[in-house]
Amino acid sequence: MLVFFFALLALLLVALGALFLGRWFVVRLATKWCQRKLQVELKIGSFGFFEIQNVSLKFLQHQQTVEIDSLRISSKLLSHDLPHYVALCFGEVRIRTDLQRVSGLSAPFSQSTGVDQKELPLSPSLLKIFCQLFSIHVETINIMVLKVATSESLWHIQISGSSLLLDSDGKRLDCKMSLSKINSKVLKSGQLEDTCLAELSLTLNLCLEVGISSRQLKAITVGVWTHHAELHEGLFHSQLLSQGPNLVLTPVPCSEVTENLAEPTLPGLHLLQQLPEQVKVKMEGISVVLSMNSQKRHLNWTLKLLHFLYHRDEDQLPLRSFTANSDMAQMSIELLLEDGLLLSQSRQRIVCLNSLKASVQVTTIDLSASMVLNTCIIHYRHQEFSHWLNMLALETQGSSSPVFKQRKKRTFPQILAPIIFSTSISNVNVSIQLGDTPPFALGFNSISLDYQHLRPQSIHQRGVLTVDHLCWRVGSDSHIQRAPHPPNMHVWGEALVLDSFTLQGSYNQPLGLSSTQPDTLFLDCTIRGLQVEASDTCAQCLSRILSLMGLQSGNPAVSREPTSGESVLLWKVDLKVEDMNLFTLSALVGASELRLDTLTVLGSAETSTVGIQGLVLALVKSITEKMQPCCKAPDIPTPVLSLSMLSITYHSSIRSLEVQCGAGLTLLWSPPDHMYLYQHVLATLQCRDLLRATLFPETVLPLAAEIPETTSEPEGRPLEPSPPKRSLNLTLEVSTAKLTAFVAEDKFITLAAESVSLSRHGGSLQAYCPELAAGFDGNSIFNFKEVEVQLLPELEEMILHRNSFPALQTLRNCVWLLSLGSVSVEFPYQYDFSRTLDEAVGVQKWLKGLHRGTHAQGLSSPALLPPDLLLKVQHFSWVFLDDIFEVKLRDNYELMKDESKESAKRLQLLDAKVAALRKQHGELLPARKIEELYASLERKNIEIYIQRSRRLYGNTPMRRALLTWSLAELELVALADGSFHGPERVLEQVQELDPGSPFTAEGVDLVIQWCRVLKCNVKTFLVRIRDYPRYLFEIHDWRLTGRLAGTEQSGQPCSRRRQILHLGLPWGNVAVERNMPPLKFYHDFRSEIFQYTIVWGPCWDPAWTLIGQSVDLLTKPSADPSPPLPWWDKSRLLFHGDWHMDIEQANLHQLATEDPYNTTENMHWEWSHLSFHWKPGQFVFKGDLDVNVRTASKQV
């Protein structure tokens, strides 16, 4: 027994010795193998039962250290928490490395691992058993990376509760890694406390699927929970971000650059091809914080869910000919974001995102993509966000490497595969506050886009874009989110409003070099509720946006004609806009509104048509409310311009423009309204100049520098003539038009026309109007019928007229031809026409000074020769209306005279009848009966008089004329010539026409000067006073030729008067300077008259006095304080020159009775072959004179 005990003890000692010897041998063998093969120094502290403690691995080459506290083997039999029967459990693992000693990084998803493709040491069945039995668990992992960015920087990673599970079915290997908690920090220095650059904490589940036979990664599944990251200011100032791109791009710059030069590729496509066949990423509870200034300023981005799915099917047929030289495998990509929120340090929302879903699907037929965005609200405040932009800008400075620049020059390839894209964006609002400009905001309810790019036998693209209630607000309160504006209302400050917008279009491009079919483009657009507001605030915001977008261009676009080698585009556009309102807003003069009920545009390559229904231009002179009603065009009160229908058609092949205006064209104008419109136009032009300066900042200087080069011509090299441009043919038709101009508060001028047509072809212009009327203060003064106006480059008839004047130097000139069927001028009784006319002249001079300014003063080139004038009038009448009271008084007097005669006849008949009754009945006839007969006769006379008075103007119209001047077949020719064109030559003509008048040596300052050669023919010239039987003047066959010049001298300061125009606030009163010296005429006429008859008598003096009063109302009394001149002296002042008259038969009838209607009692002066010469201060009569006294009974 004792021997057995000692033997057992010896065996035990031998076993222990063998065990310790084996342990030492294994450790020694492992240490030597690691040192020789891996260049790693291995140290093992102690062995336990299936346990090793204090294991240390030191990599000599990279100065990396791995320390493991404990390593044991456990089983599910001992711990039910383990998933498999055998588990390799690690305690605390500590890893220490130096990043600067790492030579390089390998590509993440490289298909070739650099290891020989050998058979696995385990068969698939053994691998399946191994995966089902074993698992790896790590309690804690601490990783410390030194010298991340600088020599003192530190990167610390702590991983708690990690596990690794393997699963295999013989064909694939699944690796599932679970990390309960990951904490990571990047420190600028390990000794200082406040040196944290970045912090990260999350929970991670990672699943990898690897093909056993191919040794390739098949699928990745990543799950992240409670992700929290903090990025501090020091991270962006460190070298970590600048070194990152260089480290990643170092392995592949050469191949990448050569690939880009060989064939362009889509960005990101190479990365997708390197990904495994299936990738799933799910992140919940994401929080990213950017902090600055020791966390005094921070941004907090939270995201509830991020879901990314990627699947590629290599076994199915790929999408053929995705590009010219490549195919694309079938794949699907999905991205989902939910509940994103970006907050500032004051807890104000910067970005609020409800959901974003994007997907891409690639099949064997096409590539389809879709995106759905719901509720995105962005509030950008530059004053608060500029610090972050400056900090984040440091990150982009590190991306200026040569390889990165080479990648930016990459060109996109031509995609040959069909593409289908659809997107839906709803409830988006973006407000921006830049600080140096007023804030603005853009929002819309929804936008949807469907796009298809097909490529059967030709490139066919079509799309549909729909926008629902888009609004762009500018101004101080625009960043405040508001509800949509009420219907049919405009809110001031909303620069652009679209209630609905729909655009459908297609584009077709034939393929093949031999194809002769042109490209086609079709667009169909419908807009409802369009509101546009132009203001200084809007221009400032838009200019700021354009400057930030970098849309500046040094040279504006130059239009050019397509050459024969270029493809021709056939296009068709159909646009319809309903309820369109255009506003211009000014802080000085309120707003203006342009309303269009319906706007339709139908255009093609050959013809384009624009139609407008209901156009109104109105003024909002003061803005007192925040909203402005948007009424229909007929409901807008007091419009400046109103038009019921307008149609514009343009034919590009023949360069013809046709404009048709429907009935109801009205214009209501006044000087205050003109100033309002003028200020709005100036404000709009300033906005245009601001935008132009933003888009083309260098346009003005180069153009100014090029002016001398273009004007100078090289010596010995003739200037090549430019090809003549085709003129635009214009046709204008207006049904009815009424223009009303208020020249004063109670004075206005009205112009009404019907069926106006105007056409312009080449250098000729023609206009026709069957009826045209001009009224003053509600009185119809001028009436024109059958009006035809033509502007012709030359006219054969005018050339014949010029041949009759050999002294003319100009052989041909353009002509204004004015033909009128009838002209009627009627002045009401005692109507002061001169006041309205004087106000109109003052307004005209004010407008001339307002718009011309100083532009005309700088013109040094001589004025062009004005056109000739040919005036033809079939019938002309000038009427001064008589006093209605006097006309009716005379007519009633004549009626009473006639009625008294008729009543006397009726009384005689009654007397004869009463006498016959008395003879028959004697004294038996009652006296009462006789009185009743006479009373009945008196009542009957009264009734007859009343009936005749009522029927007085029924058959015969009432006489209205006080004076009637009528002309028949008037033809007037006015010729301009270069020999008397210009101020100096006009003065020469004046001195020649009036040699007796003195002229100063230093010359005369004239404001008006002109000279013409006249030729006039009149068939009949008649002047009648009231309805007198004889004409005051009666002239037949009057022909007149000669020269006529008109001049007006510039008055001295004492010869000028000031006319006040009341424009109202904010301009007040404006003074217009008027010249008081009269317009003088200088003439040299020679006329031939067949018959000239004058009738006069003292019985016409009362009517002539009224005529003189009417004439005085035509011209305003002179403001000259000097005593007024008599008629003869004033005539000598205004008219200078000679007048020759050759009269075949002249007659002067002097009436000898007081009855103006008498035609028999007169003295008759009769001249035969009369020659009359009127010189200044001299009358010469030559002819045969006969004087006769004519009476009703005898003739002397």
Side-chain angles (χ1 to χ4, degrees):
M1 189 67 182
L2 183 60
V3 176
F4 177 76
F5 175 75
F6 280 108
L8 184 60
L9 181 60
L11 291 174
L12 181 60
L13 291 176
V14 172
L16 290 176
L19 179 61
F20 284 107
L21 183 59
R23 168 195 164 187
W24 176 86
F25 179 76
V26 171
V27 172
R28 185 69 176 174
L29 183 62
T31 302
K32 293 297 182 180
W33 184 85
C34 291
Q35 186 175 4
R36 185 175 63 253
K37 296 293 185 180
L38 303 178
Q39 296 182 358
V40 175
E41 182 180 347
L42 175 63
K43 293 182 181 181
I44 298 177
S46 62
F47 274 90
F49 185 73
F50 295 108
E51 183 178 5
I52 302 175
Q53 294 182 354
N54 299 327
V55 180
S56 175
L57 297 174
K58 185 176 182 181
F59 296 86
L60 301 178
Q61 183 178 1
H62 304 296
Q63 295 294 325
Q64 298 177 356
T65 304
V66 178
E67 298 178 356
I68 302 174
D69 285 350
S70 62
L71 174 62
R72 71 180 187 276
I73 299 176
S74 181
S75 175
K76 187 176 182 181
L77 300 176
L78 302 177
S79 177
H80 298 287
D81 296 334
L82 297 176
H84 293 174
Y85 288 97
V86 180
L88 182 61
C89 300
F90 292 84
E92 182 180 358
V93 179
R94 295 181 295 276
I95 302 174
R96 182 184 180 92
T97 182
D98 190 345
L99 188 61
Q100 292 184 356
R101 294 182 178 272
V102 179
S103 60
L105 298 176
S106 59
F109 302 108
S110 177
Q111 295 181 358
S112 60
T113 60
V115 182
D116 296 338
Q117 298 291 334
K118 300 180 181 179
E119 293 289 336
L120 287 176
L122 296 178
S123 63
S125 59
L126 293 177
L127 181 61
K128 182 177 181 180
I129 295 173
F130 178 80
C131 294
Q132 292 178 354
L133 294 178
F134 291 94
S135 63
I136 300 175
H137 302 271
V138 182
E139 182 178 352
T140 304
I141 301 176
N142 288 305
I143 303 175
M144 186 174 296
V145 182
L146 302 177
K147 301 178 182 180
V148 178
T150 61
S151 59
E152 298 181 356
S153 60
L154 175 65
W155 181 12
H156 179 259
I157 303 174
Q158 182 179 6
I159 304 175
S160 302
S162 59
S163 63
L164 176 62
L165 303 178
L166 301 177
D167 189 11
S168 176
D169 58 357
K171 296 181 180 180
R172 59 181 177 83
L173 176 62
D174 294 341
C175 178
K176 297 181 180 179
M177 180 181 297
S178 176
L179 306 178
S180 300
K181 190 66 175 179
I182 299 178
N183 293 319
S184 176
K185 287 187 178 181
V186 179
L187 303 177
K188 184 177 182 181
S189 175
Q191 299 178 358
L192 301 177
E193 296 181 357
D194 193 13
T195 58
C196 183
L197 300 180
E199 299 181 26
L200 176 65
S201 64
L202 54 89
T203 300
L204 175 64
N205 284 345
L206 178 62
C207 181
L208 305 177
E209 180 182 340
V210 181
I212 296 177
S213 60
S214 62
R215 305 281 188 88
Q216 292 182 357
L217 189 60
K218 296 294 185 181
I220 298 178
T221 302
V222 180
V224 179
W225 291 269
T226 64
H227 178 280
H228 179 77
E230 293 187 8
L231 305 178
H232 300 280
E233 181 181 7
L235 176 65
F236 301 95
H237 293 282
S238 65
Q239 301 178 0
L240 181 61
L241 297 179
S242 61
Q243 293 178 356
N246 296 331
L247 292 174
V248 175
L249 295 175
T250 49
V252 290
C254 296
S255 61
E256 187 82 13
V257 171
T258 55
E259 182 183 355
N260 293 338
L261 294 177
E263 177 186 355
T265 58
L266 288 176
L269 182 59
H270 179 71
L271 178 61
L272 290 177
Q273 293 175 354
Q274 296 298 322
L275 287 177
E277 294 182 359
Q278 185 172 357
V279 178
K280 295 182 180 180
V281 179
K282 184 177 182 181
M283 303 177 68
E284 296 183 0
I286 304 173
S287 176
V288 180
V289 179
L290 300 179
S291 63
M292 183 188 299
N293 298 331
S294 300
Q295 298 186 356
K296 293 182 180 179
R297 188 186 300 272
H298 63 269
L299 291 178
N300 186 8
W301 167 255
T302 59
L303 185 63
K304 181 180 179 181
L305 176 63
L306 186 149
H307 195 192
F308 175 77
L309 294 177
Y310 171 75
H311 177 71
R312 184 176 70 251
D313 195 348
E314 300 285 356
D315 299 332
Q316 300 293 332
L317 293 176
L319 178 59
R320 300 294 183 183
S321 301
F322 177 71
T323 60
N325 300 319
S326 64
D327 300 338
M328 176 175 282
Q330 293 193 31
M331 66 176 65
S332 62
I333 304 173
E334 293 185 5
L335 176 64
L336 175 62
L337 302 178
E338 290 185 357
D339 295 340
L341 183 62
L342 179 62
L343 301 177
S344 63
Q345 69 274 5
S346 59
R347 305 299 297 175
Q348 294 183 355
R349 295 184 177 183
I350 299 178
V351 178
C352 180
L353 175 64
N354 186 7
S355 65
L356 171 63
K357 183 178 180 181
S359 63
V360 178
Q361 183 77 26
V362 180
T363 63
T364 57
I365 302 176
D366 55 18
L367 185 148
S368 61
S370 65
M371 185 183 70
V372 178
L373 174 64
N374 184 20
T375 310
C376 180
I377 301 174
I378 301 176
H379 299 281
Y380 176 80
R381 303 170 184 85
H382 185 72
Q383 185 177 3
E384 180 179 346
F385 211 72
S386 59
H387 308 281
W388 302 104
L389 293 178
N390 296 332
M391 186 181 68
L392 295 176
L394 298 176
E395 181 183 0
T396 61
Q397 295 179 1
S399 60
S400 58
S401 60
V403 177
F404 186 81
K405 292 182 178 180
Q406 186 67 28
R407 285 189 171 185
K408 290 182 65 177
K409 297 179 181 179
R410 175 183 297 171
T411 58
F412 288 90
Q414 184 180 9
I415 299 177
L416 306 180
I419 298 176
I420 300 176
F421 176 75
S422 63
T423 181
S424 176
I425 305 175
S426 61
N427 194 15
V428 174
N429 186 78
V430 180
S431 64
I432 299 178
Q433 301 180 35
L434 297 177
D436 55 349
T437 55
F440 55 91
L442 176 66
F444 53 85
N445 287 350
S446 65
I447 291 180
S448 62
L449 172 64
D450 294 329
Y451 172 78
Q452 295 182 3
H453 181 280
L454 306 179
R455 201 180 179 94
Q457 300 299 326
S458 61
I459 298 177
H460 182 72
Q461 304 178 42
R462 60 173 178 262
V464 178
L465 175 63
T466 303
V467 180
D468 182 21
H469 190 79
L470 183 142
C471 180
W472 178 35
R473 302 185 302 273
V474 297
S476 57
D477 298 333
S478 60
H479 62 282
I480 302 176
Q481 192 171 1
R482 304 173 184 171
H485 67 278
N488 299 326
M489 297 293 289
H490 174 73
V491 180
W492 299 115
E494 293 184 350
L496 176 63
V497 175
L498 274 177
D499 286 346
S500 66
F501 175 85
T502 303
L503 175 62
Q504 299 180 5
S506 64
Y507 176 75
N508 188 59
Q509 180 182 3
L511 297 177
L513 299 177
S514 61
S515 177
T516 59
Q517 297 180 359
D519 300 350
T520 57
L521 174 64
F522 299 96
L523 293 177
D524 187 358
C525 182
T526 302
I527 301 175
R528 291 182 177 87
L530 173 61
Q531 299 178 12
V532 179
E533 179 182 305
S535 62
D536 296 339
T537 305
C538 175
Q540 293 175 9
C541 295
L542 189 57
S543 174
R544 182 62 170 161
I545 293 174
L546 295 177
S547 62
L548 292 177
M549 295 174 63
L551 296 180
Q552 294 90 351
S553 177
N555 297 321
V558 180
S559 61
R560 60 184 182 90
E561 296 293 335
T563 60
S564 59
E566 297 180 354
S567 62
V568 180
L569 176 64
L570 297 181
W571 55 274
K572 183 178 180 181
V573 177
D574 190 358
L575 171 65
K576 183 177 182 181
V577 183
E578 297 180 358
D579 299 333
M580 180 178 178
N581 293 272
L582 305 179
F583 298 90
T584 59
L585 186 61
S586 174
L588 180 65
V589 292
S592 66
E593 176 186 3
L594 180 63
R595 166 73 183 194
L596 283 78
D597 288 345
T598 305
L599 170 66
T600 58
V601 178
L602 182 61
S604 63
E606 293 293 332
T607 305
S608 299
T609 302
V610 178
I612 297 176
Q613 297 287 339
L615 184 147
V616 165
L617 175 62
L619 293 174
V620 184
K621 298 183 178 181
S622 62
I623 300 177
T624 58
E625 302 292 338
K626 294 184 178 180
M627 292 186 292
Q628 176 71 15
C630 297
C631 307
K632 291 290 185 180
D635 300 333
I636 296 180
T638 62
V640 176
L641 175 65
S642 177
L643 180 61
S644 61
M645 188 274 292
L646 176 65
S647 177
I648 303 174
T649 304
Y650 176 73
H651 303 277
S652 59
S653 59
I654 58 176
R655 287 183 57 83
S656 174
L657 182 64
E658 299 177 0
V659 181
Q660 294 182 353
C661 297
L665 173 60
T666 59
L667 176 63
L668 188 63
W669 184 91
S670 65
D673 292 347
H674 185 86
M675 284 303 300
Y676 277 99
L677 293 175
Y678 180 69
Q679 291 293 337
H680 285 294
V681 170
L682 287 182
T684 304
L685 293 179
Q686 291 176 359
C687 296
R688 183 205 62 181
D689 295 339
L690 177 61
L691 297 179
R692 180 182 294 177
T694 304
L695 291 174
F696 311 106
E698 300 178 357
T699 303
V700 179
L701 183 59
L703 290 179
E706 291 177 2
I707 292 176
E709 299 179 3
T710 56
T711 55
S712 62
E713 181 180 347
E715 296 182 0
R717 184 176 180 181
L719 184 64
E720 296 182 359
S722 59
K725 294 183 63 177
R726 295 174 57 189
S727 61
L728 178 65
N729 298 328
L730 175 64
T731 301
L732 173 63
E733 295 181 0
V734 181
S735 297
T736 59
K738 183 178 181 181
L739 312 180
T740 303
F742 280 85
V743 296
E745 186 176 356
D746 55 345
K747 303 294 181 182
F748 61 93
I749 301 174
T750 304
L751 182 64
E754 294 184 359
S755 303
V756 180
S757 63
L758 184 145
S759 61
R760 176 179 178 270
H761 299 281
S764 63
L765 177 68
Q766 182 176 2
Y768 176 77
C769 179
E771 187 172 355
L772 179 65
F776 288 73
D777 302 330
N779 302 308
S780 181
I781 304 295
F782 300 94
N783 291 276
F784 308 90
K785 293 185 178 180
E786 305 297 332
V787 180
E788 184 177 0
V789 181
Q790 297 183 33
L791 176 60
L792 304 174
E794 62 180 25
L795 186 62
E796 189 67 26
E797 182 180 356
M798 299 300 290
I799 297 176
L800 297 178
H801 286 304
R802 282 183 172 273
N803 293 335
S804 59
F805 299 97
L808 298 181
Q809 298 179 357
T810 304
L811 300 180
R812 298 175 183 272
N813 192 18
C814 55
V815 183
W816 277 108
L817 174 59
L818 179 59
S819 176
L820 301 100
S822 66
V823 179
S824 175
V825 182
E826 291 186 356
F827 291 96
Y829 178 72
Q830 290 186 349
Y831 169 64
D832 194 354
F833 176 77
S834 63
R835 289 187 57 188
T836 304
L837 181 62
D838 183 71
E839 294 288 347
V841 173
V843 170
Q844 183 265 340
K845 292 183 176 295
W846 168 72
L847 288 175
K848 187 177 180 181
L850 175 66
H851 293 287
R852 186 178 64 177
T854 59
H855 296 288
Q857 299 178 3
L859 297 177
S860 58
S861 60
L864 298 177
L865 186 67
D868 297 339
L869 174 65
L870 176 58
L871 174 64
K872 295 182 178 181
V873 181
Q874 295 297 324
H875 178 74
F876 173 83
S877 66
W878 181 295
V879 177
F880 287 115
L881 298 182
D882 203 351
D883 187 6
I884 301 298
F885 175 75
E886 290 193 5
V887 173
K888 290 185 176 181
L889 184 64
R890 181 181 179 280
D891 292 340
N892 289 333
Y893 173 73
E894 295 293 337
L895 178 62
M896 291 178 63
K897 285 173 55 178
D898 184 72
E899 184 60 28
S900 63
K901 296 178 181 179
E902 296 296 328
S903 61
K905 293 179 182 179
R906 288 190 290 271
L907 181 60
Q908 292 178 1
L909 292 177
L910 181 60
D911 291 341
K913 188 176 181 179
V914 169
L917 291 175
R918 284 180 175 175
K919 289 181 180 180
Q920 182 179 357
H921 300 284
E923 297 298 333
L924 297 178
L925 184 64
R928 185 176 180 180
K929 185 67 174 178
I930 296 174
E931 292 178 358
E932 290 179 356
L933 291 175
Y934 282 99
S936 176
L937 177 61
E938 186 175 359
R939 288 194 300 271
K940 191 65 176 179
N941 290 334
I942 295 174
E943 292 177 0
I944 293 175
Y945 173 75
I946 293 175
Q947 291 177 2
R948 292 187 63 183
S949 176
R950 291 175 178 176
R951 297 194 306 266
L952 181 62
Y953 304 112
N955 298 327
T956 304
M958 180 178 61
R959 179 188 63 82
R960 301 170 61 240
L962 174 64
L963 174 71
T964 303
W965 170 32
S966 61
L967 302 176
E969 299 182 11
L970 169 65
E971 180 178 343
L972 175 65
V973 178
L975 303 177
D977 191 74
S979 60
F980 44 76
H981 177 61
E984 295 81 5
R985 296 178 180 179
V986 171
L987 283 178
E988 294 176 0
Q989 295 291 327
V990 169
Q991 293 178 3
E992 180 181 349
L993 294 175
D994 187 19
S997 298
F999 288 89
T1000 58
E1002 58 273 11
V1004 182
D1005 186 12
L1006 301 177
V1007 294
I1008 296 177
Q1009 66 280 332
W1010 51 266
C1011 182
R1012 297 290 186 274
V1013 172
L1014 298 182
K1015 188 175 183 181
C1016 180
N1017 294 325
V1018 179
K1019 186 67 174 178
T1020 58
F1021 183 101
L1022 305 175
V1023 178
R1024 183 192 294 272
I1025 299 177
R1026 287 180 173 169
D1027 57 347
Y1028 299 161
R1030 305 292 297 272
Y1031 287 104
L1032 176 63
F1033 292 97
E1034 183 178 0
I1035 304 176
H1036 295 276
D1037 297 334
W1038 186 4
R1039 292 180 298 275
L1040 182 143
T1041 58
R1043 288 177 295 170
L1044 176 64
T1047 62
E1048 181 177 332
Q1049 185 177 358
S1050 178
Q1052 301 295 327
C1054 60
S1055 301
R1056 296 178 179 271
R1057 65 184 179 93
R1058 299 171 67 88
Q1059 181 178 348
I1060 304 301
L1061 291 182
H1062 303 281
L1063 300 180
L1065 295 177
W1067 305 280
N1069 297 334
V1070 178
V1072 180
E1073 194 174 68
R1074 300 286 298 276
N1075 199 31
M1076 287 195 298
L1079 178 64
K1080 298 181 180 180
F1081 299 95
Y1082 303 86
H1083 53 80
D1084 182 9
F1085 288 144
R1086 179 174 295 276
S1087 62
E1088 297 178 359
I1089 301 176
F1090 175 74
Q1091 182 181 355
Y1092 191 110
T1093 303
I1094 301 176
V1095 180
W1096 181 253
C1099 57
W1100 288 4
D1101 279 343
W1104 189 252
T1105 302
L1106 295 178
I1107 294 172
Q1109 295 176 1
S1110 300
V1111 173
D1112 292 338
L1113 293 177
L1114 296 182
T1115 58
K1116 180 180 175 59
S1118 177
D1120 190 351
S1122 303
L1125 295 176
W1127 178 84
W1128 175 246
D1129 294 334
K1130 189 173 183 180
S1131 300
R1132 291 192 302 139
L1133 175 65
L1134 299 181
F1135 299 97
H1136 303 263
D1138 294 349
W1139 192 315
H1140 296 265
M1141 298 180 64
D1142 294 332
I1143 305 175
E1144 183 71 21
Q1145 182 179 359
N1147 301 283
L1148 171 62
H1149 297 273
Q1150 290 181 315
L1151 302 180
T1153 64
E1154 296 181 356
D1155 184 10
Y1157 294 91
N1158 179 38
T1159 59
T1160 57
E1161 309 294 330
N1162 61 77
M1163 179 180 289
H1164 182 196
W1165 299 66
E1166 184 177 2
W1167 280 276
S1168 298
H1169 306 289
L1170 173 64
S1171 176
F1172 170 74
H1173 187 193
W1174 177 14
K1175 295 181 179 180
Q1178 183 182 11
F1179 293 95
V1180 178
F1181 295 89
K1182 294 181 180 180
D1184 298 334
L1185 174 63
D1186 295 331
V1187 179
N1188 300 316
V1189 176
R1190 303 185 184 278
T1191 63
S1193 58
K1194 60 183 178 178
Q1195 177 178 353
V1196 180

